[in-house]
Amino acid sequence: MLTMIVRRLLLAIPTIIAITALLFFSVTTILGSPAGMMLGQDASTDAIAALNARYGFDRPAIMQYGAWIAGAIQGDFGRSFTTQQSVARAIADCIPVTLEMTLWSILLATTAAVILNTIPVARRALAGATTAVNLIGITVPNFMLGISLIFLFSVWLGWLPSTGWAPWSDGVAEHLKRIIMPVLTLSAYYFGVFSIVYRAEYRDVAQRMFIQVARAKGLSEWMVAFKHALPNAILPVITFVGITIGQLTGGAVVTETVFSMPGTGRLFVSAIAGHDFPVMLAIGMLIVTGVILMNLLADIAYTIVNPQIRFD
Amino acid sequence: MIEPHKLLGVRDLSVRFATEAGPVLAVDRVSFDIARGETLALVGESGSGKSTAALSLMGLLGAAGGATLSGRIDLRLKNGSTHDINRLSARELRRVRGNEMAMIFQDPMSSLNPVYTIESQICEAIILHQKTAWPAARRRALELLHSLGIPNPEKCMTSFPHQLSGGMRQRVMIAVALSCEPRLLIADEPTTALDVTIQAQIIELLKRVQSWTGMAILFITHNLGLVAELGGRVIVMYAGRVVEQGKVAEVFSHPCMPYTQALLRSLPRLRRARAPRQRLQAIPGNVPSAVDRPAGCAFHPRCGFAAKGMCDTRLPALEDCGGGHLAACLRWRDIASGKAA
Ligand SMILES: Nc1ncnc2c1ncn2[C@@H]1O[C@H](COP(=O)(O)OP(=O)(O)OP(=O)(O)O)[C@@H](O)[C@H]1O
Ligand code: SF4
Ligand SMILES: [Mg+2]
């Protein structure tokens, strides 16, 4: 197990380097020279040359990448083109917001998806309904759900502030008021995804012999479902949760934009809009590293839930 | 109601499944009894309705299975009262399952939950039915594993299913089934998935267990060799119906119904080939589709004695062909006296 973890971690290094390199070169070739992007199309050649020299854009791309990755390893991702702020700083400020929102949403969505799809009566009675709910969760764009919530709770009922962010230091109530709608919005999406994954696996597990054996022992349908089927059906959900947490920005982009939350998702969107090359790269690297690490964690969680799976 | 020495009385049990291809009558007016401590073998080709009959005895075909059941399944409980399984509530059924009767299944590989230790899977039923605490249940589980000839029971208790061989898993399943001292054990092809030598060991084990506990066994199999070894009584099923029934020695020496005769003719060959997994296929033709059963005697398209205008129109009832040996064949007298061609 320990050797597996070490091996996977060592393997992660070349993967991260390869993916960031790909990101680096594709961004530079597709978007053109960063100086051109920053200064606009009418910039004089002199101005571009000056900027290139200042940021080192006149060096060969491979050397630029080398310098970037060397800095990145030490936690230095350069400065933002648009705000001149340290990129590492900007991201570090955003991560807690996104992380908290994502974790609450995943917790809520997984619990609801697993429990609702395990309860015997609910599972059968809602077979059609949950599918519809799943589809609504997945297909109704997040921004529409977000806007509907804002309309209902902020505009109409006036219970909750529509947008913005309040850190814990502003008081628990203030904090919860701001985070509840984004969490509900994001959970709806995760609920749909997790339900589909879980239901598919549950159907397979329910066909296995040990389920019939559990009934033959005289266990109630609830015991059969929660004690015998659930632990076997939950494995793919664990992987999904891992990947989802790893992606961080993935699900958060729209939600953060709708609710104007200062998270990594919104940072990413504004970086793209402002051609803010260092910020884009740094978030790219964050996503790659996150996905790899969470995949590893999910695999470790697997072995804990299901003893049959052992890594050599 | 059933006679005092009887444990189980099945009367006109029918099971119908609604499938996309139409209604399937998997079990068709089946009746039989099981006496206390008796061994009853249930044989027949694949699809003849053996597992369906077994599952309905356990009350496992209810609402969830999409099946419609009719008839009576009277079971005498440990406390002496008699109840019809088909009319018990879900809660009452749960008190019967695992406690009054237990079942072991064909595939020991998937019969155990991969997530739990052997200990927790054996103790589960004991704690549920006998309301004992964990230490007492644990002692009982250890004792069971020990008496079932499992080497190093302590280690087995803490193992997970994937760490055991197929034979060991089936022993563990037997331990699970015996844990609450049921008076009827239903074994649905418990050895089909195992090697020949392991198969013989499991059969020996079941016979030994039966001699200590005095429980009755309903043994479902394709393998007539095993039926001969087990002794007791046998029921032959064809297309959802009982076609022959009687003491094993009697049925095997004087089979009355052409289907049983054909099965038995294929037996020596099966034995010589040592092919325990081979399905009974020595009879020309196929088992009729469950959706579209032939009229009259369901066996007539494959029967060498079938008479036109008789076997394809009239449904044969079970008749006594001597000393409680029953057979469902319109021509059994002609066949027995050699008059049928
Ligand atoms: N849940 C179900 N839904 C629909 N049809 C079923 C169901 N279970 C069994 N059947 C049908 O009922 C018939 C009898 O099946 P059953 O499993 O009882 O046969 P069997 O004698 O046990 O066969 P095998 O030797 O293959 O185990 C078959 O035609 C089968 O297709
Ligand atoms: S009733 Fe007719 S078809 Fe059926 S077994 Fe007897 S002889 Fe054969
Ligand atoms: Mg079967």
Side-chain angles (χ1 to χ4, degrees):
Chain A
M1 178 93 160
L2 203 69
T3 39
M4 182 277 290
I5 296 173
V6 172
R7 204 176 54 210
R8 292 272 297 264
L9 283 176
L10 288 178
L11 212 68
I13 296 172
T15 316
I16 292 173
I17 291 182
I19 293 181
T20 48
L22 197 70
L23 204 67
F24 191 93
F25 295 119
S26 55
V27 170
T28 41
T29 43
I30 292 167
L31 297 183
S33 106
M37 288 190 285
M38 288 163 70
L39 297 175
Q41 283 175 344
D42 329 313
S44 69
T45 2
D46 283 354
I48 290 180
L51 194 97
N52 275 345
R54 193 169 131 223
Y55 285 104
F57 293 146
D58 48 356
R59 291 175 299 169
I62 185 85
M63 287 188 61
Q64 290 181 45
Y65 175 70
W68 180 81
I69 192 86
I73 288 167
Q74 296 158 35
D76 175 11
F77 293 87
R79 284 183 176 280
S80 157
F81 287 167
T82 43
T83 62
Q84 299 304 318
Q85 208 194 354
S86 147
V87 173
R89 202 47 242 249
I91 291 181
D93 286 345
C94 291
I95 284 180
V97 176
T98 307
L99 199 61
E100 193 192 339
M101 179 178 73
T102 312
L103 288 181
W104 281 127
S105 308
I106 287 176
L107 192 69
L108 187 68
T110 343
T111 316
V114 168
I115 291 184
L116 281 180
N117 289 299
T118 304
I119 296 175
V121 194
R123 196 177 64 232
R124 276 194 290 273
L126 300 177
T130 37
T131 321
V133 175
N134 292 344
L135 286 179
I136 291 172
I138 293 174
T139 52
V140 169
N142 257 10
F143 74 86
M144 270 182 53
L145 182 61
I147 289 169
S148 313
L149 285 179
I150 291 178
F151 184 78
L152 180 65
F153 290 108
S154 310
V155 180
W156 202 38
L157 295 171
W159 291 350
L160 297 169
S162 61
T163 55
W165 175 251
W168 284 102
S169 52
D170 289 5
V172 177
E174 202 54 33
H175 179 74
L176 291 182
K177 266 190 198 166
R178 307 258 172 184
I179 204 167
I180 187 159
M181 286 198 294
V183 165
L184 281 178
T185 307
L186 199 51
S187 321
Y189 171 75
Y190 290 146
F191 177 80
V193 177
F194 295 159
S195 286
I196 285 176
V197 174
Y198 182 73
R199 286 182 75 87
E201 190 68 13
Y202 194 99
R203 258 199 302 279
D204 285 353
V205 170
Q207 301 299 319
R208 311 231 324 248
M209 211 52 185
F210 61 80
I211 295 296
Q212 192 75 295
V213 170
R215 290 201 184 100
K217 281 179 183 173
L219 295 178
S220 67
E221 280 303 307
W222 277 72
M223 284 290 275
V224 172
F226 279 91
K227 185 173 173 191
H228 287 274
L230 187 155
N232 284 282
I234 206 168
L235 294 178
V237 179
I238 294 178
T239 312
F240 250 75
V241 167
I243 294 172
T244 311
I245 298 178
Q247 281 173 341
L248 214 53
T249 23
V253 170
V254 175
T255 314
E256 285 178 3
T257 310
V258 170
F259 293 99
S260 314
M261 297 170 70
T264 46
R266 208 178 56 155
L267 184 67
F268 195 49
V269 173
S270 55
I272 293 172
H275 298 307
D276 201 340
F277 189 51
V279 176
M280 275 150 75
L281 273 180
I283 295 183
M285 181 164 178
L286 184 75
I287 294 176
V288 173
T289 322
V291 169
I292 290 177
L293 284 183
M294 293 314 296
N295 251 331
L296 181 61
L297 274 183
D299 284 350
I300 295 172
Y302 250 69
T303 62
I304 295 169
V305 177
N306 189 343
Q308 199 169 351
I309 303 161
R310 283 268 179 268
F311 295 100
D312 42 317
Chain B
M1 288 290 116
I2 53 180
E3 296 112 86
H5 65 288
K6 291 283 160 62
L7 182 64
L8 185 82
V10 178
R11 289 292 168 272
D12 290 322
L13 174 68
S14 296
V15 181
R16 203 179 298 270
F17 292 106
T19 68
E20 279 164 21
V24 166
L25 190 57
V27 173
D28 185 6
R29 282 162 288 166
V30 163
S31 301
F32 60 89
D33 292 329
I34 301 180
R36 284 193 192 165
E38 151 176 76
T39 304
L40 178 63
L42 191 56
V43 294
E45 282 164 301
S46 190
S48 53
K50 306 180 298 293
S51 299
T52 307
L55 289 173
S56 39
L57 299 191
M58 292 287 289
L60 282 172
L61 278 182
T68 327
L69 283 88
S70 63
R72 299 181 66 90
I73 303 169
D74 288 312
L75 176 75
R76 188 181 308 281
L77 305 187
K78 288 173 181 170
N79 68 14
S81 64
T82 309
H83 294 277
D84 180 359
I85 297 289
N86 276 348
R87 278 161 194 79
L88 290 183
S89 70
R91 177 185 294 268
E92 290 165 324
L93 262 180
R94 289 205 297 273
R95 234 173 282 144
V96 169
R97 282 187 207 133
N99 189 24
E100 304 281 348
M101 51 181 163
M103 184 158 176
I104 49 180
F105 297 86
Q106 173 170 350
D107 186 5
M109 289 309 181
S110 60
S111 285
L112 288 160
N113 192 330
V115 170
Y116 297 109
T117 59
I118 302 305
E119 174 175 353
S120 77
Q121 300 192 53
I122 303 179
C123 292
E124 193 172 26
I126 305 178
I127 292 170
L128 178 75
H129 292 295
Q130 308 194 332
K131 311 274 180 283
T132 46
W134 194 272
R138 208 189 117 81
R139 270 199 302 282
R140 165 99 182 115
L142 261 178
E143 197 183 291
L144 270 168
L145 290 180
H146 185 76
S147 59
L148 291 175
I150 290 192
N152 205 344
E154 285 279 357
K155 181 154 172 272
C156 178
M157 291 274 274
T158 55
S159 304
F160 285 96
H162 69 276
Q163 296 166 318
L164 305 180
S165 68
M168 281 302 147
R169 288 191 213 186
Q170 198 58 296
R171 279 167 206 253
V172 169
M173 285 314 297
I174 295 175
V176 170
L178 297 183
S179 62
C180 297
E181 302 174 337
R183 298 213 296 189
L184 173 62
L185 176 69
I186 301 174
D188 190 355
E189 305 193 39
T191 60
T192 310
L194 302 174
D195 290 339
V196 191
T197 45
I198 311 289
Q199 187 169 8
Q201 288 173 13
I202 297 285
I203 299 295
E204 270 316 301
L205 187 63
L206 283 175
K207 282 164 94 175
R208 259 197 302 134
V209 165
Q210 190 176 24
S211 67
W212 323 317
T213 58
M215 69 181 176
I217 298 183
L218 177 64
F219 194 97
I220 297 173
T221 182
H222 287 97
N223 189 331
L224 289 171
L226 286 184
V227 177
E229 226 163 284
L230 282 164
R233 284 193 312 132
V234 60
I235 288 180
V236 182
M237 277 184 81
Y238 187 80
R241 291 184 63 89
V242 174
V243 293
E244 186 145 10
Q245 171 177 345
K247 293 208 178 69
V248 171
E250 175 65 27
V251 171
F252 276 40
S253 56
H254 308 290
C256 289
M257 147 96 193
Y259 174 64
T260 318
Q261 291 169 354
L263 283 184
L264 285 166
R265 268 198 302 279
S266 63
L267 175 62
R269 247 177 300 143
L270 273 174
R271 261 191 169 167
R272 221 177 309 131
R274 292 220 131 214
R277 291 175 202 213
Q278 187 175 327
R279 305 247 142 176
L280 298 170
Q281 276 176 344
I283 306 161
N286 292 316
V287 191
S289 127
V291 187
D292 189 19
R293 291 260 162 80
C297 171
F299 187 56
H300 84 258
R302 300 167 78 188
C303 179
F305 299 103
K308 259 220 161 68
M310 177 157 101
C311 296
D312 51 357
T313 51
R314 274 170 56 199
L315 182 68
L318 279 173
E319 282 176 44
D320 195 329
C321 51
H325 172 180
L326 307 177
C329 173
L330 298 167
R331 305 194 65 198
W332 73 268
R333 275 175 228 277
D334 294 349
I335 295 168
S337 61
K339 268 188 266 171

Short mmCIF file of all heavy atoms in Angstrom, two decimals, chain B residues 234-273:
data_model
loop_
_atom_site.label_atom_id
_atom_site.label_comp_id
_atom_site.label_asym_id
_atom_site.label_seq_id
_atom_site.Cartn_x
_atom_site.Cartn_y
_atom_site.Cartn_z
N VAL B 234 -37.47 -38.46 -4.09
CA VAL B 234 -37.12 -37.60 -5.21
C VAL B 234 -38.38 -37.10 -5.91
O VAL B 234 -39.40 -37.80 -5.96
CB VAL B 234 -36.17 -38.33 -6.20
CG1 VAL B 234 -36.84 -39.58 -6.76
CG2 VAL B 234 -35.72 -37.40 -7.32
N ILE B 235 -38.30 -35.87 -6.40
CA ILE B 235 -39.36 -35.30 -7.23
C ILE B 235 -38.74 -34.93 -8.56
O ILE B 235 -37.69 -34.28 -8.59
CB ILE B 235 -39.96 -34.03 -6.58
CG1 ILE B 235 -40.79 -34.41 -5.35
CG2 ILE B 235 -40.80 -33.25 -7.57
CD1 ILE B 235 -41.39 -33.20 -4.68
N VAL B 236 -39.35 -35.36 -9.65
CA VAL B 236 -38.84 -34.98 -10.95
C VAL B 236 -39.78 -33.91 -11.52
O VAL B 236 -40.99 -34.09 -11.54
CB VAL B 236 -38.81 -36.20 -11.91
CG1 VAL B 236 -38.24 -35.80 -13.26
CG2 VAL B 236 -38.00 -37.33 -11.30
N MET B 237 -39.19 -32.79 -11.92
CA MET B 237 -40.01 -31.72 -12.49
C MET B 237 -39.75 -31.59 -13.98
O MET B 237 -38.63 -31.77 -14.45
CB MET B 237 -39.70 -30.38 -11.81
CG MET B 237 -40.45 -30.19 -10.50
SD MET B 237 -40.16 -28.57 -9.79
CE MET B 237 -41.29 -27.56 -10.72
N TYR B 238 -40.81 -31.30 -14.73
CA TYR B 238 -40.66 -31.02 -16.14
C TYR B 238 -41.59 -29.87 -16.49
O TYR B 238 -42.80 -29.93 -16.19
CB TYR B 238 -40.98 -32.26 -16.99
CG TYR B 238 -40.66 -32.06 -18.45
CD1 TYR B 238 -39.35 -32.18 -18.90
CD2 TYR B 238 -41.65 -31.69 -19.36
CE1 TYR B 238 -39.03 -31.96 -20.22
CE2 TYR B 238 -41.34 -31.47 -20.69
CZ TYR B 238 -40.03 -31.60 -21.12
OH TYR B 238 -39.71 -31.36 -22.43
N ALA B 239 -41.05 -28.83 -17.10
CA ALA B 239 -41.85 -27.68 -17.53
C ALA B 239 -42.79 -27.17 -16.42
O ALA B 239 -43.96 -26.92 -16.66
CB ALA B 239 -42.63 -28.02 -18.80
N GLY B 240 -42.26 -27.04 -15.22
CA GLY B 240 -43.02 -26.43 -14.15
C GLY B 240 -43.93 -27.38 -13.39
O GLY B 240 -44.58 -26.98 -12.43
N ARG B 241 -44.01 -28.65 -13.85
CA ARG B 241 -44.91 -29.60 -13.18
C ARG B 241 -44.13 -30.77 -12.59
O ARG B 241 -43.07 -31.13 -13.09
CB ARG B 241 -45.95 -30.13 -14.17
CG ARG B 241 -46.95 -29.09 -14.63
CD ARG B 241 -48.00 -29.71 -15.53
NE ARG B 241 -48.79 -30.73 -14.84
CZ ARG B 241 -49.91 -30.47 -14.17
NH1 ARG B 241 -50.36 -29.25 -14.09
NH2 ARG B 241 -50.56 -31.44 -13.58
N VAL B 242 -44.72 -31.36 -11.55
CA VAL B 242 -44.15 -32.59 -11.02
C VAL B 242 -44.58 -33.72 -11.94
O VAL B 242 -45.77 -33.90 -12.18
CB VAL B 242 -44.65 -32.86 -9.59
CG1 VAL B 242 -44.16 -34.22 -9.10
CG2 VAL B 242 -44.20 -31.76 -8.66
N VAL B 243 -43.61 -34.48 -12.49
CA VAL B 243 -43.99 -35.57 -13.38
C VAL B 243 -43.77 -36.94 -12.75
O VAL B 243 -44.34 -37.93 -13.19
CB VAL B 243 -43.27 -35.50 -14.74
CG1 VAL B 243 -43.74 -34.28 -15.52
CG2 VAL B 243 -41.77 -35.50 -14.58
N GLU B 244 -42.92 -36.99 -11.72
CA GLU B 244 -42.75 -38.27 -11.04
C GLU B 244 -42.24 -38.01 -9.64
O GLU B 244 -41.52 -37.03 -9.40
CB GLU B 244 -41.77 -39.18 -11.81
CG GLU B 244 -41.68 -40.57 -11.22
CD GLU B 244 -41.47 -41.67 -12.27
OE1 GLU B 244 -41.23 -41.34 -13.44
OE2 GLU B 244 -41.58 -42.85 -11.90
N GLN B 245 -42.62 -38.86 -8.73
CA GLN B 245 -42.30 -38.60 -7.33
C GLN B 245 -42.34 -39.90 -6.57
O GLN B 245 -43.22 -40.73 -6.79
CB GLN B 245 -43.36 -37.63 -6.79
CG GLN B 245 -43.34 -37.40 -5.31
CD GLN B 245 -44.38 -36.36 -4.91
OE1 GLN B 245 -44.90 -35.63 -5.76
NE2 GLN B 245 -44.69 -36.30 -3.64
N GLY B 246 -41.35 -40.14 -5.70
CA GLY B 246 -41.35 -41.37 -4.90
C GLY B 246 -40.02 -41.56 -4.21
O GLY B 246 -39.15 -40.70 -4.26
N LYS B 247 -39.86 -42.73 -3.56
CA LYS B 247 -38.59 -43.05 -2.93
C LYS B 247 -37.53 -43.18 -4.00
O LYS B 247 -37.78 -43.71 -5.08
CB LYS B 247 -38.71 -44.37 -2.17
CG LYS B 247 -39.63 -44.32 -0.98
CD LYS B 247 -39.17 -45.35 0.06
CE LYS B 247 -40.04 -45.29 1.29
NZ LYS B 247 -41.43 -45.78 1.01
N VAL B 248 -36.32 -42.70 -3.70
CA VAL B 248 -35.25 -42.72 -4.70
C VAL B 248 -35.02 -44.14 -5.22
O VAL B 248 -34.98 -44.37 -6.43
CB VAL B 248 -33.94 -42.14 -4.12
CG1 VAL B 248 -32.79 -42.36 -5.08
CG2 VAL B 248 -34.10 -40.65 -3.83
N ALA B 249 -34.93 -45.10 -4.30
CA ALA B 249 -34.65 -46.47 -4.72
C ALA B 249 -35.73 -46.97 -5.67
O ALA B 249 -35.44 -47.56 -6.72
CB ALA B 249 -34.57 -47.36 -3.48
N GLU B 250 -36.99 -46.65 -5.32
CA GLU B 250 -38.13 -47.10 -6.11
C GLU B 250 -38.14 -46.45 -7.50
O GLU B 250 -38.25 -47.12 -8.53
CB GLU B 250 -39.40 -46.75 -5.32
CG GLU B 250 -40.70 -47.01 -6.01
CD GLU B 250 -40.92 -48.48 -6.26
OE1 GLU B 250 -40.38 -49.32 -5.50
OE2 GLU B 250 -41.63 -48.79 -7.23
N VAL B 251 -38.01 -45.11 -7.53
CA VAL B 251 -38.07 -44.38 -8.80
C VAL B 251 -36.90 -44.77 -9.70
O VAL B 251 -37.05 -44.94 -10.91
CB VAL B 251 -38.08 -42.86 -8.54
CG1 VAL B 251 -37.91 -42.09 -9.84
CG2 VAL B 251 -39.36 -42.45 -7.83
N PHE B 252 -35.74 -44.94 -9.09
CA PHE B 252 -34.57 -45.27 -9.91
C PHE B 252 -34.63 -46.69 -10.47
O PHE B 252 -34.16 -46.95 -11.55
CB PHE B 252 -33.26 -45.07 -9.11
CG PHE B 252 -32.78 -43.65 -9.11
CD1 PHE B 252 -33.66 -42.58 -9.00
CD2 PHE B 252 -31.43 -43.35 -9.25
CE1 PHE B 252 -33.22 -41.27 -9.01
CE2 PHE B 252 -30.97 -42.04 -9.26
CZ PHE B 252 -31.87 -41.01 -9.13
N SER B 253 -35.26 -47.60 -9.73
CA SER B 253 -35.31 -48.97 -10.26
C SER B 253 -36.50 -49.17 -11.20
O SER B 253 -36.40 -49.92 -12.16
CB SER B 253 -35.32 -49.99 -9.12
OG SER B 253 -36.40 -49.71 -8.25
N HIS B 254 -37.64 -48.51 -10.91
CA HIS B 254 -38.79 -48.65 -11.82
C HIS B 254 -39.37 -47.30 -12.20
O HIS B 254 -40.46 -46.95 -11.74
CB HIS B 254 -39.92 -49.46 -11.16
CG HIS B 254 -39.49 -50.76 -10.61
ND1 HIS B 254 -39.11 -51.81 -11.42
CD2 HIS B 254 -39.36 -51.19 -9.33
CE1 HIS B 254 -38.78 -52.83 -10.66
NE2 HIS B 254 -38.90 -52.48 -9.38
N PRO B 255 -38.66 -46.52 -12.99
CA PRO B 255 -39.25 -45.23 -13.39
C PRO B 255 -40.49 -45.48 -14.24
O PRO B 255 -40.49 -46.35 -15.10
CB PRO B 255 -38.14 -44.57 -14.20
CG PRO B 255 -37.28 -45.69 -14.68
CD PRO B 255 -37.36 -46.76 -13.63
N CYS B 256 -41.58 -44.72 -13.97
CA CYS B 256 -42.83 -44.95 -14.68
C CYS B 256 -43.02 -44.01 -15.85
O CYS B 256 -43.73 -44.30 -16.80
CB CYS B 256 -44.01 -44.80 -13.74
SG CYS B 256 -44.11 -46.13 -12.56
N MET B 257 -42.43 -42.82 -15.77
CA MET B 257 -42.71 -41.79 -16.76
C MET B 257 -41.54 -41.71 -17.75
O MET B 257 -40.37 -41.76 -17.33
CB MET B 257 -42.92 -40.49 -15.95
CG MET B 257 -42.47 -39.23 -16.60
SD MET B 257 -43.85 -38.42 -17.43
CE MET B 257 -43.00 -37.23 -18.41
N PRO B 258 -41.84 -41.68 -19.04
CA PRO B 258 -40.77 -41.75 -20.05
C PRO B 258 -39.65 -40.71 -19.86
O PRO B 258 -38.50 -41.00 -20.14
CB PRO B 258 -41.51 -41.50 -21.37
CG PRO B 258 -42.89 -41.97 -21.11
CD PRO B 258 -43.17 -41.68 -19.67
N TYR B 259 -40.00 -39.53 -19.34
CA TYR B 259 -38.98 -38.51 -19.13
C TYR B 259 -37.96 -38.97 -18.09
O TYR B 259 -36.75 -38.91 -18.30
CB TYR B 259 -39.64 -37.19 -18.70
CG TYR B 259 -38.65 -36.12 -18.33
CD1 TYR B 259 -37.79 -35.58 -19.29
CD2 TYR B 259 -38.56 -35.63 -17.02
CE1 TYR B 259 -36.88 -34.59 -18.95
CE2 TYR B 259 -37.65 -34.64 -16.69
CZ TYR B 259 -36.81 -34.13 -17.66
OH TYR B 259 -35.92 -33.16 -17.32
N THR B 260 -38.47 -39.50 -16.97
CA THR B 260 -37.57 -40.00 -15.93
C THR B 260 -36.75 -41.17 -16.47
O THR B 260 -35.55 -41.28 -16.20
CB THR B 260 -38.39 -40.48 -14.71
OG1 THR B 260 -39.42 -39.54 -14.46
CG2 THR B 260 -37.51 -40.61 -13.50
N GLN B 261 -37.39 -42.01 -17.25
CA GLN B 261 -36.67 -43.15 -17.83
C GLN B 261 -35.50 -42.66 -18.67
O GLN B 261 -34.39 -43.18 -18.58
CB GLN B 261 -37.62 -44.00 -18.68
CG GLN B 261 -38.65 -44.72 -17.84
CD GLN B 261 -39.75 -45.35 -18.70
OE1 GLN B 261 -39.81 -45.15 -19.91
NE2 GLN B 261 -40.62 -46.10 -18.04
N ALA B 262 -35.77 -41.64 -19.48
CA ALA B 262 -34.72 -41.12 -20.35
C ALA B 262 -33.59 -40.49 -19.51
O ALA B 262 -32.41 -40.69 -19.80
CB ALA B 262 -35.29 -40.09 -21.31
N LEU B 263 -33.98 -39.78 -18.47
CA LEU B 263 -32.97 -39.18 -17.59
C LEU B 263 -32.07 -40.27 -17.01
O LEU B 263 -30.85 -40.14 -16.98
CB LEU B 263 -33.63 -38.47 -16.41
CG LEU B 263 -34.26 -37.10 -16.60
CD1 LEU B 263 -34.76 -36.58 -15.26
CD2 LEU B 263 -33.25 -36.14 -17.18
N LEU B 264 -32.71 -41.34 -16.56
CA LEU B 264 -31.93 -42.39 -15.90
C LEU B 264 -31.06 -43.14 -16.89
O LEU B 264 -29.97 -43.57 -16.54
CB LEU B 264 -32.89 -43.35 -15.18
CG LEU B 264 -33.44 -42.75 -13.89
CD1 LEU B 264 -34.62 -43.56 -13.39
CD2 LEU B 264 -32.35 -42.69 -12.83
N ARG B 265 -31.54 -43.28 -18.13
CA ARG B 265 -30.71 -43.96 -19.13
C ARG B 265 -29.41 -43.19 -19.35
O ARG B 265 -28.39 -43.77 -19.65
CB ARG B 265 -31.47 -44.09 -20.45
CG ARG B 265 -32.23 -45.40 -20.57
CD ARG B 265 -32.59 -45.69 -22.01
NE ARG B 265 -33.41 -44.64 -22.61
CZ ARG B 265 -34.74 -44.55 -22.43
NH1 ARG B 265 -35.37 -45.44 -21.68
NH2 ARG B 265 -35.40 -43.59 -23.01
N SER B 266 -29.48 -41.87 -19.20
CA SER B 266 -28.28 -41.09 -19.46
C SER B 266 -27.35 -41.08 -18.24
O SER B 266 -26.23 -40.62 -18.31
CB SER B 266 -28.66 -39.65 -19.80
OG SER B 266 -29.30 -39.06 -18.70
N LEU B 267 -27.81 -41.62 -17.13
CA LEU B 267 -27.04 -41.53 -15.89
C LEU B 267 -25.69 -42.25 -15.91
O LEU B 267 -24.69 -41.64 -15.58
CB LEU B 267 -27.90 -42.00 -14.72
CG LEU B 267 -27.22 -42.08 -13.36
CD1 LEU B 267 -26.73 -40.72 -12.93
CD2 LEU B 267 -28.17 -42.64 -12.31
N PRO B 268 -25.64 -43.56 -16.30
CA PRO B 268 -24.34 -44.24 -16.23
C PRO B 268 -23.29 -43.52 -17.05
O PRO B 268 -22.15 -43.41 -16.64
CB PRO B 268 -24.63 -45.62 -16.81
CG PRO B 268 -26.11 -45.78 -16.78
CD PRO B 268 -26.69 -44.42 -16.83
N ARG B 269 -23.71 -43.00 -18.19
CA ARG B 269 -22.75 -42.30 -19.04
C ARG B 269 -22.22 -41.05 -18.33
O ARG B 269 -21.04 -40.78 -18.33
CB ARG B 269 -23.42 -41.90 -20.35
CG ARG B 269 -22.84 -42.64 -21.54
CD ARG B 269 -23.58 -42.27 -22.80
NE ARG B 269 -24.99 -42.63 -22.71
CZ ARG B 269 -25.97 -41.90 -23.23
NH1 ARG B 269 -25.69 -40.78 -23.86
NH2 ARG B 269 -27.22 -42.28 -23.12
N LEU B 270 -23.12 -40.35 -17.71
CA LEU B 270 -22.72 -39.15 -16.98
C LEU B 270 -21.68 -39.50 -15.94
O LEU B 270 -20.70 -38.81 -15.75
CB LEU B 270 -23.92 -38.53 -16.28
CG LEU B 270 -24.74 -37.56 -17.10
CD1 LEU B 270 -25.96 -37.16 -16.30
CD2 LEU B 270 -23.92 -36.35 -17.46
N ARG B 271 -21.93 -40.60 -15.25
CA ARG B 271 -21.04 -40.99 -14.18
C ARG B 271 -19.67 -41.35 -14.70
O ARG B 271 -18.65 -40.97 -14.14
CB ARG B 271 -21.61 -42.17 -13.44
CG ARG B 271 -22.30 -41.72 -12.18
CD ARG B 271 -22.60 -42.95 -11.40
NE ARG B 271 -23.03 -42.59 -10.07
CZ ARG B 271 -23.59 -43.46 -9.26
NH1 ARG B 271 -23.77 -44.70 -9.66
NH2 ARG B 271 -23.97 -43.09 -8.07
N ARG B 272 -19.66 -42.13 -15.79
CA ARG B 272 -18.37 -42.57 -16.31
C ARG B 272 -17.56 -41.37 -16.78
O ARG B 272 -16.37 -41.27 -16.57
CB ARG B 272 -18.57 -43.57 -17.45
CG ARG B 272 -17.60 -44.72 -17.38
CD ARG B 272 -17.88 -45.73 -18.50
NE ARG B 272 -19.27 -46.15 -18.56
CZ ARG B 272 -19.98 -46.17 -19.69
NH1 ARG B 272 -19.43 -45.80 -20.83
NH2 ARG B 272 -21.22 -46.59 -19.68
N ALA B 273 -18.26 -40.42 -17.40
CA ALA B 273 -17.56 -39.26 -17.93
C ALA B 273 -17.11 -38.32 -16.79
O ALA B 273 -16.33 -37.42 -17.01
CB ALA B 273 -18.45 -38.51 -18.90
#
